[in-house]
Amino acid sequence: MQEKVEAQNILSMNSVEVLYDNVMLAIKGVSVQVPTGEMIALLGSNGAGKSTTLKAISGLLKAERGRISRGEITFQGTDITEVLAQNRVGMGICHVIEGRRVFEHLTPDENLTAAAPRGMSRSALNAEKEKIYDYFPRLAERRNSQAGYLSGGEQQMLAIGRALVTQPKLLMLDEPSLGLAPFLVEEIFGILQKINQEEGVSVLLVEQNALAALEIVSQGYLIENGRVVMHGTAEALKSNSDIQEFYLGGGEETDFHNVKHYSRRKRWLS
Amino acid sequence: MDWVFLSELAINGALTGLLYSLFAIGLVLIYKASSVPNLSQGGLTMVGAYVVLALSHDAGLPLWLAIPLAAVIMFGLGFGIERVALRRLAGRPVVMILMLTLGLDIFLRGTTLAIWGGTSRSVDLGVSYEPLFLGDIFVSRIHLVGAGVALALFVAFMLFFRTRTGIKLRAIADDYMASWSVGISVERGVGLSWALASVVAVAAGVIWGEIQGVDQALSLLLLKGLTVAVLGGLDSILGAVIAGIILGVVENVGADLLDPLVGGGSRELIVAAVLILTVMIRPHGLFGRHDIERV
């Protein structure tokens, strides 16, 4: 039975703790499961530990002097806790880091080339690029201009496209909606959904924009203060009154005559 | 003013300038792949020349074998420097890495002094010192050879930075974190750039060693090389070549005009003025990349 569960989850993270600089405990025992082929969201406010969770999975923690001090992460049944970040990309984990971070002085085309795995043939790379330009036609138009001058939405598309070149089995995105107009968020999320369905790529999405995220994922985890405080299907989370109030921006009408002069406690904390 | 004399000054200045470019290309290679100005490029150039001498004069190999062999050894040394010293500093503030390269320069100078002493030795490339006249203009053959090597390396590296490996190196210079996130081995990339810069150092070391003799003073080429690299825009190989020519001509012609007025020594002043003015007026140089700020 346990075996079977392992096989169904492409990623499984068991009570992972992360320390920065050997002193700061950023996440305190987070457990997250990503079933193969599904889209999962990590929700929560600023500084809750969502980004740290992704970095623990991608191995980028090391660049920020963080380390996993407890727990383990398995990817397709293999323990990857000690595997180097660049080798995790080779295994099929790709992390689209926060703030887009395209290679600004390269063209979009070169951005895609830079991410090509070692040993990918020229024709395979070109085919991959055409596929990505099909997903993101806006990029195709500007493939030879300097990436630093693309708009925010185009840069986010490029960052996702660049990640796809690495042939991921698990695509992790950190706040792809950050600073983008609502129609762009909708467009990008729609494309993510398409990629998930057509390529069978599992997706782990970190979002503050819970409203948009819960529309496309099947399950969500709510992280607060470095802990998972809630886990459920997207439907269940959307209808949860706390989620509605704190993350979806007020479910009920507010009667301003009766507003209480203290903020409501998040019951699951402390 | 005699036009033949002036053009002779300009042409020889340009050739000398291309020799500065030869040195500066090494600086640019490392900057282009890791955004670090390498203050030990002078030391590497000196070591490159000493290794060639050790293989040819001490071990008795012919020069045509000693130079490629030295290039291979220096290639390994470049990788070694990344592995031993730089890897620990990846992602730290640039100023620390800068200090490390300065320390490395001093270390290399001390090491060569300990092993080979401080007496100046000659390379004996076998290039004739017979004067070569192009029309009425006298040019030095060794400068001509060196300029040719500089241009050949320029073309080779321009092509290299269009290959997949070259593009990955440029990606690393742009953003370490983003490079890691798509599986680029930043460590190997930085190592490769140091290895290539060390090979360039062999070329520069041999040519400059032939011109001024091989001793610790070779490492002082850094000052002119850095001026050229900054004027060209630190990350532009084309910039290094053009800036080299400009600095060579300005220095040669300028010194000839100014020296009678100030009684000599204006050559260094001109170089210093170019460096200071570049940083003040055009910090990213002639062809350097700007930091992009979208409005």
Side-chain angles (χ1 to χ4, degrees):
Chain A
M1 185 64 201
Q2 187 66 32
E3 288 281 305
K4 204 174 168 203
V5 173
E6 282 297 317
Q8 283 167 351
N9 290 334
I10 187 163
L11 181 93
S12 154
M13 194 173 176
N14 301 315
S15 20
V16 167
E17 272 186 9
V18 167
L19 272 177
Y20 280 113
D21 273 328
N22 287 327
V23 286
M24 205 192 86
L25 198 55
I27 57 174
K28 309 158 184 171
V30 168
S31 299
V32 170
Q33 266 71 23
V34 181
T36 308
E38 287 198 35
M39 291 181 86
I40 305 294
L42 299 181
L43 309 172
S45 47
N46 261 334
K50 309 183 300 291
S51 294
T52 302
T53 306
L54 287 200
K55 284 175 195 154
I57 300 169
S58 64
L60 292 179
L61 270 183
K62 218 176 155 192
E64 298 181 338
R65 285 181 285 167
R67 65 182 178 89
I68 296 174
S69 52
R70 239 183 55 193
E72 53 159 23
I73 302 173
T74 57
F75 179 72
Q76 294 188 313
T78 321
D79 185 349
I80 57 164
T81 318
E82 300 298 326
V83 177
L84 280 176
Q86 68 218 43
N87 297 340
R88 295 190 205 193
V89 176
M91 294 171 78
I93 304 177
C94 195
H95 182 176
V96 180
I97 55 183
E98 192 175 356
R100 311 190 263 273
R101 306 277 286 264
V102 297
F103 301 125
E104 292 189 335
H105 298 93
L106 275 56
T107 65
D109 216 59
E110 288 171 332
N111 266 268
L112 299 182
T113 305
R118 270 154 41 97
M120 183 187 249
S121 71
R122 182 188 290 253
S123 57
L125 176 60
N126 285 338
E128 191 62 34
K129 282 182 183 170
E130 288 315 315
K131 198 175 75 187
I132 288 160
Y133 289 133
D134 277 347
Y135 281 124
F136 303 104
R138 284 157 180 271
L139 289 182
E141 290 164 26
R142 308 200 54 184
R143 60 196 293 172
N144 292 320
S145 50
Q146 212 178 354
Y149 292 110
L150 299 182
S151 72
E154 288 163 342
Q155 290 192 356
Q156 187 61 60
M157 293 174 186
L158 180 56
I160 296 172
R162 187 176 65 181
L164 288 178
V165 178
T166 68
Q167 311 289 301
K169 299 185 180 106
L170 172 66
L171 185 63
M172 304 195 293
L173 302 112
D174 198 346
E175 301 264 7
S177 75
L178 198 71
L180 298 184
F183 78 94
L184 271 174
V185 175
E186 207 170 303
E187 183 180 341
I188 288 177
F189 278 24
I191 296 169
L192 278 179
Q193 217 167 7
K194 205 169 141 199
I195 291 168
N196 168 252
Q197 283 156 8
E198 292 177 5
E199 315 273 318
V201 178
S202 313
V203 176
L204 183 57
L205 180 66
V206 155
E207 262 303 336
Q208 289 203 50
N209 186 345
L211 198 58
L214 287 176
E215 287 303 318
I216 58 167
V217 299
S218 58
Q219 296 174 39
Y221 289 80
L222 180 61
I223 297 185
E224 280 290 335
N225 279 351
R227 290 195 177 85
V228 173
V229 291
M230 210 179 281
H231 170 212
T233 63
E235 292 309 313
L237 290 177
K238 264 190 281 188
S239 55
N240 181 295
S241 64
D242 288 326
I243 294 266
Q244 282 185 352
E245 181 161 349
F246 292 122
Y247 299 99
L248 299 181
E252 304 105 55
E253 292 281 311
T254 313
D255 178 356
F256 289 99
H257 288 289
N258 291 324
V259 167
K260 294 175 185 138
H261 292 280
Y262 55 87
S263 59
R264 195 171 144 199
R265 274 180 66 85
K266 294 179 178 177
R267 277 179 285 102
W268 56 80
L269 294 183
S270 80
Chain B
M1 168 92 358
D2 178 4
W3 282 108
V4 173
F5 181 58
L6 194 64
S7 42
E8 186 174 301
L9 280 179
I11 287 177
N12 280 298
L15 290 177
T16 311
L18 277 171
L19 298 188
Y20 298 152
S21 305
L22 177 59
F23 180 94
I25 286 172
L27 284 171
V28 171
L29 279 176
I30 290 181
Y31 193 85
K32 223 171 152 63
S34 57
S35 292
V36 175
N38 171 24
L39 296 184
S40 63
Q41 187 68 26
L44 286 175
T45 302
M46 176 194 64
V47 171
Y50 270 114
V51 172
V52 171
L53 281 189
L55 291 172
S56 62
H57 295 203
D58 301 347
L61 295 177
L63 269 175
W64 61 263
L65 186 59
I67 293 174
L69 205 56
V72 172
I73 293 172
M74 291 296 286
F75 189 85
L77 178 72
F79 260 114
I81 291 172
E82 191 280 329
R83 185 72 194 81
V84 173
L86 288 162
R87 187 161 296 186
R88 285 157 221 270
L89 291 184
R92 300 289 176 86
V94 170
V95 93
M96 290 190 194
I97 304 174
L98 201 63
M99 291 303 120
L100 180 84
T101 64
L102 184 62
L104 189 64
D105 190 70
I106 298 168
F107 175 78
L108 292 176
R109 241 183 294 169
T111 310
T112 55
L113 198 60
I115 301 179
W116 291 289
T119 353
S120 182
R121 302 166 69 183
S122 68
V123 182
D124 292 330
L125 263 188
V127 178
S128 149
Y129 279 86
E130 289 290 302
L132 182 70
F133 284 97
L134 302 176
D136 289 334
I137 296 166
F138 165 77
V139 286
S140 141
R141 286 170 198 259
I142 180 67
H143 281 70
L144 212 51
V145 170
V149 173
L151 289 175
L153 283 176
F154 159 70
V155 172
F157 283 119
M158 285 298 271
L159 295 175
F160 170 72
F161 277 110
R162 294 180 185 281
T163 65
R164 203 185 286 182
T165 309
I167 289 173
K168 283 183 195 248
L169 290 192
R170 284 159 56 207
I172 293 170
D174 245 18
D175 194 329
Y176 275 31
M177 192 70 164
S179 301
W180 271 312
S181 82
V182 291
I184 298 174
S185 173
V186 173
E187 294 81 0
R188 201 180 302 137
V190 173
L192 178 63
S193 72
W194 275 76
L196 292 174
S198 304
V199 171
V200 172
V202 172
V206 167
I207 300 288
W208 277 101
E210 174 73 18
I211 291 171
Q212 64 176 46
V214 179
D215 58 18
Q216 280 68 33
L218 264 187
S219 71
L220 297 178
L221 277 173
L222 177 71
L223 296 179
K224 279 181 183 165
L226 205 55
T227 306
V228 167
V230 169
L231 178 61
L234 275 175
D235 72 329
S236 165
I237 292 183
L238 176 67
V241 169
I242 291 178
I245 296 175
I246 293 175
L247 186 73
V249 172
V250 167
E251 180 193 54
N252 224 17
V253 175
D256 189 69
L257 296 176
L258 287 178
D259 269 354
L261 303 177
V262 297
S266 58
R267 200 167 268 271
E268 304 298 317
L269 278 181
I270 291 171
V271 175
V274 168
L275 179 56
I276 292 169
L277 289 177
T278 308
V279 174
M280 282 168 65
I281 298 169
R282 209 177 155 84
H284 47 75
L286 297 175
F287 297 94
R289 62 174 187 221
H290 304 241
D291 279 327
I292 296 171
E293 279 176 45
R294 282 187 311 116
V295 190

